[in-house]
Amino acid sequence: MEDSPDETTALIRNTPARFRHGKLFLAVFSAVLGNFNFGFALVFPSPVIPQLQRGDYPGLEMDIHQISWFGSIFTLGAALGGISAMVLNDRVGRKISIMLSGVPSVLGLLVMGAAQNFWMLLWGRFLTGIAGGITAGSIPVYVSEISHPSVRGALGSCPQITAVFGSLALYAFGLVLPWRWLAIAGEIPVVIMIILLCFMPTSPRYHIMKGNRARAVKSLEWLRGPDSDYLTEFNKIERSIKSQGTQWSDLKTPLYYKPILISVFMRFLQQMTGITPILVYLQPIFQMTAISLEPKYDAALVGAVRLISVAIAASLMDKAGRKALLFTSGFLMYLAMLSMTMYTHKTSCSHGNLTVTEGLKSAYLGSTGPAFDPATLIPLISTMVIIFGYAMGWGPITWLLMSEILPLGARGVASGLCVGVSWITAFVLTQLFMHVVEAYGLFAPFLFFCVISVVNIIFTAKCVPETKNRTLEEIENYFRTGRTFTILDP
């Protein structure tokens, strides 16, 4: 027989709140499908340029200037998309912005799949770039705002992971599919994303900003589960938002200008590592460095390494901390860029005195290369380390930190600004990359990227805060007061 309750027996037993992350994971998965298509479209030229240079498609063969535009115009569209995200994020919300990105994505892929001339290829690339810019400015913010602090680090790396997986899928399909079918295959994840997002909640923080308290509570209950302490979390978010009334004069306060400047410079330096032109021109780079293995298989291998490294970074994000991974990332990229610089400066490119375009064409037409030389694996291994290092830190953490440290009152506009700066930088680098290689050789851009890696290490040490296991409200308080983070709960 159980003991009868007396005056000392608690009528209500305090049980720990139970968070159910299943629906949260589903919402994140639905959103980051947009990043899958972003990664797919970003590296689209890598397997397509070789196929077009074979001469099987009259009117679509490209010279060095056209190759540069085909590779770089995506980033110009992404810059426009990032600026569009500045308006869309605060006007229609993060979720609807992600869904709207599907429109230019579908149109762009259809135009490229049906391309009959070079201009159709450019328009298709530009439209998919706009979609990529919108997703880059909206998805990290959406994921950060719906995530619980205990899993925000891992989930915050999901946009980068799925973008990497999208690139790997493109490289893999490029081994077996003609380039027109590659464009058609890219339509599938976009359609799935739009359908799934119709059933996902809007960000609770966005609802609160618009005065929809009941909808915000409903979103939090759906994301955390009915047995969780979602009302306490709602009250914290509401207090944080009410304490912010964004005006232009607020930009003079550390709460605003410090995190915005850090985010902008991080996105700028992220692109200055050269990751975009390296990924876009991956197969041409391998061909010019005379690797004995076939470039298309090298590219797929590098894509697999990139995916593995991002998965490792996600598992370490909330254990090792953001800054530790950024330091490791910068150091690995520095070593790999240095070895790539030394190899390409010492070893002449495979096409000898030919121009870049002529060298690529002769290679893609099936000319036989030299016998296997172990030394030619140096650029392959160096590129793997570059991709591994980037994907360990400066890839996913830059996206995550942007969504964590930007002040909520200006998060929509500031995230769009960061994406715009990032992709304008990527456009300039991708546009100039092949021209610099043509004029000075492959070692010149890699020497520049090597120097930037050192700058990134210094910037991390001096300017980047550690946000591991901190709530978004604690991070904002840090920039508001200048004091170290304070966590009241053990």
Side-chain angles (χ1 to χ4, degrees), residues 105-389:
S105 181
V106 168
L107 290 177
L109 289 167
L110 284 176
V111 170
M112 284 194 291
Q116 300 299 316
N117 55 59
F118 176 69
W119 290 103
M120 291 183 71
L121 289 175
L122 283 190
W123 274 111
R125 285 283 288 165
F126 183 73
L127 288 171
T128 54
I130 292 175
I134 295 174
T135 58
S138 303
I139 293 177
V141 177
Y142 178 75
V143 171
S144 177
E145 290 185 350
I146 67 174
S147 297
H148 189 270
S150 63
V151 292
R152 196 177 65 241
L155 295 182
S157 64
C158 284
Q160 180 70 9
I161 292 177
T162 49
V164 170
F165 193 74
S167 297
L168 176 60
L170 188 279
Y171 293 139
F173 288 143
L175 299 176
V176 294
L177 291 179
W179 67 272
R180 294 190 188 277
W181 282 103
L182 286 178
I184 301 302
E187 307 275 0
I188 298 174
V190 183
V191 175
I192 296 175
M193 176 195 75
I194 294 174
I195 294 174
L196 288 178
L197 282 177
C198 291
F199 303 97
M200 299 300 115
T202 298
S203 162
R205 284 177 171 81
Y206 177 76
H207 276 318
I208 295 174
M209 290 174 63
K210 295 300 181 181
N212 300 321
R213 299 178 76 252
R215 292 183 180 180
V217 171
K218 188 176 180 180
S219 292
L220 271 177
E221 182 182 7
W222 191 92
L223 291 165
R224 305 289 184 259
D227 298 329
S228 66
D229 195 12
Y230 63 89
L231 289 178
T232 300
E233 183 178 356
F234 166 80
N235 291 329
K236 289 181 180 178
I237 297 172
E238 188 175 41
R239 285 197 301 269
S240 175
I241 293 176
K242 286 183 177 179
S243 67
Q244 301 177 22
T246 309
Q247 300 176 352
W248 284 107
S249 58
D250 293 332
L251 296 178
K252 300 178 181 179
T253 63
L255 172 63
Y256 284 87
Y257 75 76
K258 282 187 176 181
I260 290 175
L261 286 177
I262 290 173
S263 299
V264 168
F265 273 101
M266 285 198 73
R267 292 306 295 263
F268 173 73
L269 291 174
Q270 178 196 47
Q271 290 297 337
M272 291 294 283
T273 61
I275 192 64
T276 299
I278 290 174
L279 291 175
V280 169
Y281 301 123
L282 193 57
Q283 287 194 34
I285 288 172
F286 284 147
Q287 190 62 56
M288 287 183 285
T289 51
I291 296 178
S292 299
L293 303 176
E294 281 195 57
K296 62 180 181 180
Y297 295 113
D298 296 329
L301 187 59
V302 169
V305 170
R306 188 178 173 211
L307 178 62
I308 294 171
S309 58
V310 174
I312 294 173
S315 65
L316 296 176
M317 199 79 69
D318 289 318
K319 298 177 182 177
R322 282 56 156 163
K323 292 189 71 169
L325 291 177
L326 286 174
F327 281 127
T328 303
S329 172
F331 185 68
L332 287 175
M333 284 193 291
Y334 164 73
L335 292 179
M337 294 290 187
L338 183 61
S339 65
M340 194 72 169
T341 302
M342 296 173 65
Y343 177 86
T344 53
H345 184 263
K346 184 178 179 181
T347 307
S348 59
C349 291
S350 61
H351 52 72
N353 295 324
L354 296 175
T355 65
V356 172
T357 310
E358 291 169 340
L360 293 176
K361 180 179 291 188
S362 65
Y364 298 142
L365 286 176
S367 58
T368 58
F372 176 75
D373 181 2
T376 63
L377 294 179
I378 293 176
L380 175 60
I381 296 173
S382 297
T383 305
M384 286 182 176
V385 176
I386 291 171
I387 300 301
F388 182 84

Side-chain angles (χ1 to χ4, degrees), residues 415-473:
S415 63
L417 174 63
C418 291
V419 172
V421 169
S422 173
W423 290 115
I424 289 174
T425 306
F427 168 74
V428 173
L429 288 176
T430 311
Q431 175 66 223
L432 294 178
F433 185 85
M434 280 296 189
H435 294 289
V436 172
V437 172
E438 180 91 347
Y440 303 103
L442 199 55
F443 81 94
F446 280 99
L447 176 60
F448 176 77
F449 301 149
C450 181
V451 174
I452 293 297
S453 298
V454 177
V455 175
N456 288 359
I457 294 173
I458 297 173
F459 182 82
T460 301
K462 296 293 184 180
C463 302
V464 178
E466 179 58 73
T467 60
K468 182 182 71 171
N469 295 331
R470 314 298 183 185
T471 66
L472 298 182
E473 289 69 37

Side-chain angles (χ1 to χ4, degrees), residues 19-29 200 222-224:
F19 294 101
R20 298 178 180 177
H21 293 314
K23 291 183 176 179
L24 169 62
F25 294 158
L26 177 61
V28 171
F29 171 78
M200 299 300 115
W222 191 92
L223 291 165
R224 305 289 184 259

